[in-house]
Amino acid sequence: MASEEELFASVDALLEEEPQLPPPAERARLREAAGITQARLAVALKTSTQTVKNYENGRSEPREPRLSAYQRLLKGWAAKYPAHGTPAAPPASAPVVASRPVAPETFTAPTSPEAGTVAPVKTPAPAAQTAPTVPERAARPAARPAAKKAVKPATDPRFPHGPLAVLDGDGCAYGVDGLVLDCPATTVVELVEWTLRESGLGAARLHRYGKDSDPLIVLTAAAAVKLGLPERLEGHEQRRSLRLPEDHPVVRQVVKAKWQLTQRGFGPWARIYRKAQGRERQCVQLAILSWDALDERSWPGVAEMAPADIARVLGVYAQRVITPRGSTAVSGLELMTALRPPTRAVRDEATGNWVPGHNPGSLGTEPMDPAPPEATPEHPVVVQSGWTGSFLNEEAYQWVRPVDTLSDEECLLPYAVGLDLNTAFLAAAARLVVGLSAPDHFHAPAFNPKIPGSWLVDLSHIELDPRLPSPFTPDGTRPTGPAWYQTHTVAYAQELGYNVAPIEAYLRRETGAYLDPWHDRLKTAYVDTLADLGVTKDLDDRAFLAAMERHKQADPALAAVLSAIKATVKGGVGKLRERPQGRHYKEGERWPALERPTWRPDIRAAVISKARVNMHRKLLNMSRMTSLFPLAVLSDCVVYPSPGSSPLDFLPYAASGKPQPGGFRLGPTPGLAKLEGIQEMAWAVDLMEKGLNPARHIKGGDAVLDEGE
């Protein structure tokens, strides 16, 4: 049995291992008593002001050599400014074990960067609820009265710290809901191993047959340099195709440690992995901010935010959509697979074992070649078959009304008002039946609007009002002869009362609403994020327009999330027909995207066809209800002449004040409209005379038609 002297010697040795610090609240009291600001203390300790805040609210603890220096400073202050009439503070190590901070039950994103930068840490300490330096924490529940729904953090015990973290150069890893972890890694290999073994990062699968989301570590420029990476990638190729060379020291370190990189190499979005051991995945996703991992068009202003605010933006996106895996286009595609996994466990009756089997309603695990008219001209199916026919041309509208169809009354109207349909492609994906099997070729089939596929049919005999675009072509011109169309386009011709007689068709026997769960999740994310920005479903049209005018200023971080959600929709649809990348590609060769089961140009065509038909149906109904005709259409934006400077001046309303069904309606849900911009009518006519599209410029800047390809 150990003697008293041996026990005391062991305890003393433990005490000497780490200097003791007073509780966080006492640290703040001593600093304030000395009249020192957090910023000044940060300079003395050679760290950031945020790190000092974390020391004083119990979210992180200093490491050596800063630990000893901080202890010495606090001891000096304690001698000068003893607490009056208060008992001696217990050692910091006593309550640490018993009071590990836990994440709140719900996450409501704070409006101020200050509130979003404090958090629990790997080295826990009791939270100082009465600390005078962090009043934001106590006030936090009341900080966002506009939020209607809270985003729940990860509840899976395997991932207690959420899906991702943003690592800064001082070793602080900022997670969701204000979490701050202490990351000791100094190399990429150490970072990967820390992430998998200690960070508690990751996210549970979105479908019972799916896979968990791998943890994401976002590196600031300072963190990248600290880990031995260049601050920026330089080269003459497109930014998204730049990679570290294989002989770079960091790449060699990764390979030497028996880790692997995907075929895309070490670029702005790098995946580092080992083969899974049993059911345990070993994979970490890295995103390097200074390598343009977060595209400004999809994530406006995010790359320039503080690390904690970047974590907040990406965290809300991860919780509402998916943990980012690359660009928003890549994430949109990954979300489809995550919600419709290709396989499920099935019992092999012969052996009694459970084996992977096809998951009904999914696209399966094998890539599928399209029919020749559905492919692109460089596709092997086209080149090797010698296909000489035309191709499916289901694209979004880019139409300008002929100037000679404008009446004097229209030209004398004072304003041109642009309306934009909310996530028009997402609205088109709702309950959209698409093909799940390979295409079969038919000659002279009877048209069936319920069968998804591609039809060769002559619609040139259909003559519509020249003041409206043709619903059958992207440029709005009347077809000149037989052409390939997706089912929705042909069905709309039939809906308008015209006879259709297909010459050929490529149809799919197995069908399903593959995009339904994708639509539902993104719709919820879009509507909830708009609601958090003060744009809710219960607003009348006037209040809706006012809320939309100020929503981006209400919270720039959540506005960036909203932008990313919209980019995820368009980019995900575009990725279904990703074209070959790089200067060295030769026509007829296969390119990497073709090896994905989600390379499905026919599904992309179905979404865009339905979106364009939906737009034309509204344009036609508007002309019948109001005798108004559009000036131009660009994808999901339409410009109308207007007697006033508001959509309320020309949209159709019933006598009761309710919007008339069938036309454009204002509102925050997918498929409803919002104000895009207002200009003078003379401005719009001038652009039209020059052959330019007013819908592209109605905002006052240059809009870009981006379908994610």
Side-chain angles (χ1 to χ4, degrees), residues 57 59 115 118 128-143:
N57 57 38
R59 271 74 182 180
V118 292
Q129 296 182 5
T130 59
T133 57
V134 282
E136 307 93 300
R137 191 67 175 180
R140 190 169 176 184

Side-chain angles (χ1 to χ4, degrees), residues 104-109 140 147-155 163 176-177 312 314-321 521 524-525 528-529 532 558 561:
E105 292 182 2
T106 58
F107 166 75
T108 302
R140 190 169 176 184
K148 297 299 182 185
K149 294 185 179 180
V151 180
K152 294 185 179 180
T155 55
V176 300
D177 198 25
R312 177 188 168 213
L314 296 179
V316 174
Y317 179 88
Q319 290 162 344
R320 293 184 174 178
V321 182
R521 185 168 178 84
T524 300
D528 286 354
T529 305
D532 285 347
L558 284 181
V561 174

Side-chain angles (χ1 to χ4, degrees), residues 41-187:
L41 177 55
V43 172
L45 294 177
K46 299 190 183 325
T47 187
S48 66
T49 304
Q50 182 56 53
T51 301
V52 171
K53 291 179 181 180
N54 292 340
Y55 294 166
E56 293 186 358
N57 57 38
R59 271 74 182 180
S60 69
E61 297 291 315
R63 301 196 307 267
E64 291 292 6
R66 194 171 288 123
L67 177 59
S68 295
Y70 191 33
Q71 183 207 31
R72 180 175 180 178
L73 178 64
L74 293 175
K75 281 185 176 180
W77 281 343
K80 286 185 179 181
Y81 313 107
H84 297 292
T86 58
S93 57
V96 165
V97 175
S99 58
R100 180 181 180 92
V102 294
E105 292 182 2
T106 58
F107 166 75
T108 302
T111 56
S112 66
E114 188 82 4
T117 53
V118 292
V121 294
K122 189 185 79 173
T123 307
Q129 296 182 5
T130 59
T133 57
V134 282
E136 307 93 300
R137 191 67 175 180
R140 190 169 176 184
R144 294 199 45 73
K148 297 299 182 185
K149 294 185 179 180
V151 180
K152 294 185 179 180
T155 55
D156 193 308
R158 298 170 299 159
F159 312 118
H161 292 151
L164 56 88
V166 180
L167 181 63
D168 205 358
D170 62 358
C172 288
Y174 297 83
V176 300
D177 198 25
L179 179 84
V180 182
L181 299 174
D182 188 15
C183 176
T186 57
T187 68

Side-chain angles (χ1 to χ4, degrees), residues 194-540:
W194 172 83
T195 302
L196 293 174
R197 296 174 185 173
E198 301 181 41
S199 71
L201 296 173
R205 57 194 176 186
L206 298 179
H207 188 281
R208 60 182 296 193
Y209 300 134
K211 298 176 182 177
D212 296 330
S213 288
D214 300 314
L216 167 64
I217 301 293
V218 181
L219 303 180
T220 65
V225 171
K226 178 182 176 181
L227 296 172
L229 297 168
E231 183 174 349
R232 296 200 172 274
L233 277 180
E234 302 297 338
H236 300 291
E237 299 181 51
Q238 297 181 33
R239 296 292 300 172
R240 62 181 174 180
S241 62
L242 287 177
R243 301 290 180 265
L244 284 183
E246 293 183 3
D247 60 352
H248 190 278
V250 170
V251 177
R252 291 205 305 262
Q253 289 171 8
V254 169
V255 174
K256 185 177 179 181
K258 301 290 193 282
W259 291 97
Q260 299 180 57
L261 292 163
T262 60
Q263 289 184 349
R264 294 181 65 84
F266 205 122
W269 289 87
R271 291 185 67 75
I272 302 176
Y273 71 98
R274 284 179 182 151
K275 289 187 177 180
Q277 296 180 347
R279 298 184 63 181
E280 293 297 320
R281 290 174 60 81
Q282 298 185 87
C283 185
V284 175
Q285 177 81 59
L286 300 182
I288 297 92
L289 292 174
S290 57
W291 296 4
D292 298 333
L294 297 181
D295 190 299
E296 177 68 18
R297 294 169 298 178
S298 302
W299 303 95
V302 176
E304 306 304 319
M305 292 180 179
D309 297 318
I310 296 173
R312 177 188 168 213
V313 171
L314 296 179
V316 174
Y317 179 88
Q319 290 162 344
R320 293 184 174 178
V321 182
I322 192 172
T323 304
R325 288 277 303 269
S327 67
T328 47
V330 169
S331 297
L333 201 66
E334 291 289 339
L335 182 63
M336 294 180 194
T337 304
L339 294 170
R340 290 279 199 191
T343 62
R344 63 171 181 166
V346 296
R347 190 177 183 85
D348 185 338
E349 297 300 332
T351 64
N353 296 328
W354 291 92
V355 297
H358 176 66
N359 182 26
S362 76
L363 298 182
T365 59
E366 297 300 321
M368 184 183 299
D369 281 337
E374 297 168 346
T376 56
E378 67 271 17
H379 195 286
V381 162
V382 174
V383 175
Q384 294 170 12
S385 67
W387 174 263
T388 57
S390 61
F391 294 93
L392 200 63
N393 188 27
E394 298 288 10
E395 302 294 341
Y397 268 134
Q398 295 192 63
W399 171 80
V400 179
R401 182 173 158 191
V403 177
D404 58 10
T405 64
L406 292 174
S407 67
D408 292 341
E409 291 78 4
E410 287 176 309
C411 291
L412 291 174
L413 290 173
Y415 296 103
V417 177
L419 293 176
D420 181 75
L421 295 182
N422 302 321
T423 56
F425 287 174
L426 186 62
R431 314 301 172 250
L432 176 67
V433 176
V434 299
L436 301 178
S437 56
D440 291 321
H441 192 197
F442 297 87
H443 290 278
F447 177 69
N448 187 334
K450 295 183 179 180
I451 301 178
S454 302
W455 309 77
L456 180 62
V457 60
D458 190 349
L459 301 179
S460 62
H461 62 286
I462 300 178
E463 185 173 359
L464 300 174
D465 194 309
R467 293 171 293 180
L468 291 175
S470 167
F472 311 123
T473 60
D475 62 3
T477 59
R478 182 175 173 178
T480 57
W484 288 94
Y485 301 99
Q486 201 276 334
T487 297
H488 282 89
T489 304
V490 184
Y492 188 56
Q494 204 173 56
E495 179 185 324
L496 293 174
Y498 295 92
N499 180 50
V500 293
I503 303 166
E504 290 181 65
Y506 285 92
L507 309 177
R508 288 168 168 81
R509 299 178 187 277
E510 185 183 344
T511 65
Y514 171 72
L515 293 175
D516 264 9
W518 185 81
H519 162 272
D520 294 348
R521 185 168 178 84
L522 284 168
K523 177 183 177 181
T524 300
Y526 180 82
V527 171
D528 286 354
T529 305
L530 261 182
D532 285 347
L533 290 166
V535 186
T536 55
K537 295 180 182 179
D538 57 349
L539 298 176
D540 62 31

Side-chain angles (χ1 to χ4, degrees), residues 607-646:
V607 173
I608 298 177
S609 167
K610 186 179 174 184
R612 198 182 65 246
V613 164
N614 287 347
M615 172 66 83
H616 191 275
R617 189 181 288 112
K618 293 179 188 298
L619 297 174
L620 184 60
N621 289 338
M622 281 284 291
S623 69
R624 291 170 175 170
M625 289 187 287
T626 67
S627 297
L628 281 177
F629 293 87
L631 302 177
V633 184
L634 179 74
S635 188
D636 47 12
C637 176
V638 56
V639 177
Y640 272 101
S642 173
S645 60
S646 168

